[in-house]
Amino acid sequence: MTEALRLTLRDSKAARWGALGIISITMFAGYFLTDVMSPLKPMLESEFAWSSTNYGIFTSAYGWLNVFLGMLIFGGIILDKMGVRFTGIMSSGIMVLGAGIKYWAITNPTLVTDTTFGIHTHVFMAAVGFAIFGVGVEIAGITVSKIIVKWFKGKEMALAMGMQMAVARLGTMLAIAAPVPLATYFSSVHTQVVNGELVEKMGPSVSAPIAFAFVLLVIGFITFFIYVSMDKKLDASLAESNGTDNEEPFKFSDIGRIVTNKGFWLIAVLCVLFYSSVFPFIKYASDLMVNKYGLDQNLAGIIPSLLPLGTLFLTPLFGGVYDKKGKGATMMIIGAVLILLVHSVFSLPILNYWFVAVVLVIILGIALSLVPSAMWPSVPKIIPENQLGTAFSLIFWIQNWGLMGIPLLIGYVLDQSNPEVALAKANGTTVPLYDYTNPMLIFAGLGFLAIIVGLLLKMEDKKKGYGLELPNIQK
């Protein structure tokens, strides 16, 4: 009888997995909007006369506010001070706001004639919306991570994180495969400047996929209110059973403890190197398939969509392995090795066959499953739970430097490596193909550095005894 009284809501499998399912809807919608423009790069160039640099500026805007204004760090502090319910609703609302601005910018034809801070206003305002959305989705990400720790600590935590990431990756997969068919099904009038004159033309509706993403975000915002009611019941059950954690509340001095932790920094650097070699690649992957492998634009998103498809099954699988067997640091190192292998082959001016691209994307999907399924469940082993929101936010903030800088770098390198493309666009002649060798070498270099950091993390774990190589499930 006494043992029964100690049970809490998170001891119910149905309750904790139900809570996970609800919050995963919000992240699914967020990941869809994050990459919805990726397969549309050729359309942005043809319909709005964007350059690769313009696209790089827009893509890099995801991290503007998070990096330069530290909004993500403030979000982590708010999370530790105010809790998951308040922060989750706040971040979901910010995502909806940013998506609305992005949709307005893309659908406003008058913006193509103006410039703001030296950037085409059409590009700039779309980037502003994306930047605001980036604040919301990143804070939502750290909130969901802390929610999973709250419900699954001492249980199937890595599997739960893997399942949540799998659902989110489903959003990425849909964002790669669906936008071009959606855009071509609908149509709209676009205004662009050609040889100094305004020209109106009928073409695919670039805004249609963004409108669909906006609707998904509103649904995700509403579903988070359902989670709020479950979280209140969890807190009540913890109070009744005296099962609340006896940890001190978060203090600002805890930030100093986090940033002086060597294990924290190794995880953070590994994170930025790994994600900077994968997510910016996804944003250029469809364009790579057109230029290197000769695929039709309408089919170019199919091969990159295999990347998140594989993670749907592999991320939970690897998370379950970590829960039961451990070897988290080893899994991260193997994933980094795969990153180096894949991008090195992509950089070669040979093997330009579509089936080679399929194999490489599948291997990259394995890496995208291995590293996150081990990395995120490892953070609670290094950082106390009352500091997790701030720790996650600092890691995400560091990650955002890469997510902001690498896409901008890739766009710049593409234009500088292919000056004949810009010249052809300016003259209105047939546009030649981009050479993607240099961008792929940059991605490969990030993978090489990730291997080194992974080895250092394994050494630090052995020295400090974090338990990264040990199972998560407490027996």
Side-chain angles (χ1 to χ4, degrees):
M1 183 67 177
T2 301
E3 184 65 27
L5 292 175
R6 293 178 181 173
L7 294 178
T8 65
L9 189 59
R10 65 183 171 192
D11 291 306
S12 165
K13 274 193 173 183
R16 64 177 181 266
W17 287 103
L20 178 69
I22 292 171
I23 60 175
S24 294
I25 296 173
T26 304
M27 295 311 298
F28 169 86
Y31 272 59
F32 179 79
L33 184 75
T34 298
D35 287 306
V36 73
M37 296 283 271
S38 302
L40 300 176
K41 179 177 180 289
M43 282 188 187
L44 291 169
E45 294 174 347
S46 62
E47 304 303 320
F48 297 125
W50 283 26
S51 65
S52 287
T53 300
N54 289 148
Y55 179 75
I57 290 171
F58 162 77
T59 302
S60 72
Y62 181 92
W64 286 356
L65 301 180
N66 287 328
V67 170
F68 296 121
L69 297 184
M71 298 302 294
L72 184 52
I73 298 176
F74 288 123
I77 295 173
I78 291 171
L79 174 58
D80 283 332
K81 297 290 285 186
M82 301 297 293
V84 297
R85 296 194 290 268
F86 174 86
T87 313
I89 293 174
M90 176 191 74
S91 58
S92 299
I94 293 173
M95 282 196 287
V96 172
L97 174 64
I101 295 174
K102 179 178 174 179
Y103 175 75
W104 168 79
I106 292 296
T107 56
N108 194 329
T110 63
L111 299 179
V112 300
T113 60
D114 301 323
T115 60
T116 304
F117 301 119
I119 305 171
H120 287 300
T121 303
H122 191 241
V123 177
F124 180 79
M125 292 308 301
V128 168
F130 197 35
I132 293 172
F133 165 81
V135 173
V137 74
E138 289 292 301
I139 296 177
I142 62 175
T143 302
V144 166
S145 296
K146 189 163 184 177
I147 287 172
I148 293 174
V149 174
K150 182 176 182 179
W151 284 81
F152 288 88
K153 186 176 182 180
K155 303 182 186 300
E156 319 94 328
M157 185 166 62
L159 176 60
M161 287 187 173
M163 291 294 292
Q164 185 272 315
M165 282 186 281
V167 175
R169 299 286 185 259
L170 185 61
T172 301
M173 183 188 74
L174 186 64
I176 295 173
V180 171
L182 275 173
T184 52
Y185 180 80
F186 297 94
S187 61
S188 61
V189 177
H190 299 144
T191 303
Q192 62 177 251
V193 179
V194 179
N195 296 324
E197 297 182 359
L198 286 178
V199 176
E200 289 190 349
K201 56 180 292 189
M202 179 69 72
S205 177
V206 179
S207 62
I210 304 173
F212 180 66
F214 181 79
V215 172
L216 289 179
L217 283 169
V218 172
I219 294 172
F221 179 55
I222 294 171
T223 57
F224 200 88
F225 282 90
I226 301 174
Y227 170 77
V228 167
S229 65
M230 293 191 67
D231 191 78
K232 289 179 180 178
K233 293 178 181 179
L234 173 60
D235 284 348
S237 70
L238 288 170
E240 289 177 4
S241 64
N242 295 319
T244 53
D245 293 328
N246 295 321
E247 292 184 341
E248 295 182 3
F250 174 82
K251 303 183 294 294
F252 286 100
S253 60
D254 289 333
I255 299 176
R257 296 187 178 92
I258 295 171
V259 298
T260 54
N261 187 323
K262 185 177 179 180
F264 161 80
W265 280 108
L266 289 172
I267 282 278
V269 173
L270 179 63
C271 174
V272 68
L273 290 171
F274 174 75
Y275 280 112
S276 295
S277 65
V278 176
F279 288 137
F281 167 78
I282 291 175
K283 295 184 183 302
Y284 287 91
S286 295
D287 196 48
L288 173 69
M289 298 303 146
V290 172
N291 287 273
K292 181 176 173 63
Y293 296 99
L295 295 184
D296 183 84
Q297 181 182 336
N298 293 325
L299 303 175
I302 295 177
I303 293 178
S305 70
L306 297 175
L307 195 157
L309 177 62
T311 64
L312 297 181
F313 310 101
L314 294 178
T315 306
L317 174 63
F318 293 142
V321 171
Y322 188 20
D323 280 331
K324 297 177 181 179
K325 303 296 183 180
K327 304 299 180 183
T330 301
M331 292 167 64
M332 289 183 250
I333 294 170
I334 295 173
V337 170
L338 295 179
I339 289 288
L340 173 60
L341 171 66
V342 167
H343 290 312
S344 295
V345 177
F346 269 133
S347 71
L348 298 175
I350 56 175
L351 302 176
N352 299 336
Y353 307 106
W354 66 267
F355 57 85
V356 174
V358 170
V359 173
L360 293 176
V361 167
I362 290 173
I363 296 173
L364 190 61
I366 295 173
L368 186 57
S369 303
L370 268 171
V371 177
S373 64
M375 181 168 57
W376 297 120
S378 295
V379 178
K381 292 185 175 183
I382 299 173
I383 303 296
E385 188 172 347
N386 69 316
Q387 302 169 15
L388 275 179
T390 303
F392 276 129
S393 71
L394 287 168
I395 293 173
F396 277 44
W397 178 71
I398 295 168
Q399 172 189 312
N400 268 248
W401 278 96
L403 296 182
M404 177 191 70
I406 295 300
L408 184 61
L409 174 63
I410 296 301
Y412 175 79
V413 169
L414 271 176
D415 279 340
Q416 293 301 309
S417 301
N418 300 271
E420 69 280 1
V421 175
L423 182 63
K425 289 180 180 179
N427 295 333
T429 58
T430 302
V431 178
L433 297 176
Y434 280 106
D435 179 3
Y436 263 86
T437 300
N438 290 334
M440 293 302 104
L441 288 174
I442 292 173
F443 288 133
L446 295 173
F448 175 74
L449 293 174
I451 295 172
I452 296 175
V453 176
L455 292 170
L456 292 174
L457 178 62
K458 188 171 183 177
M459 293 169 58
E460 184 69 9
D461 173 53
K462 187 175 181 179
K463 178 181 177 181
K464 295 292 181 62
Y466 292 128
L468 303 187
E469 296 288 274
L470 299 177
N472 293 316
I473 295 177
Q474 299 173 1
K475 296 181 180 180

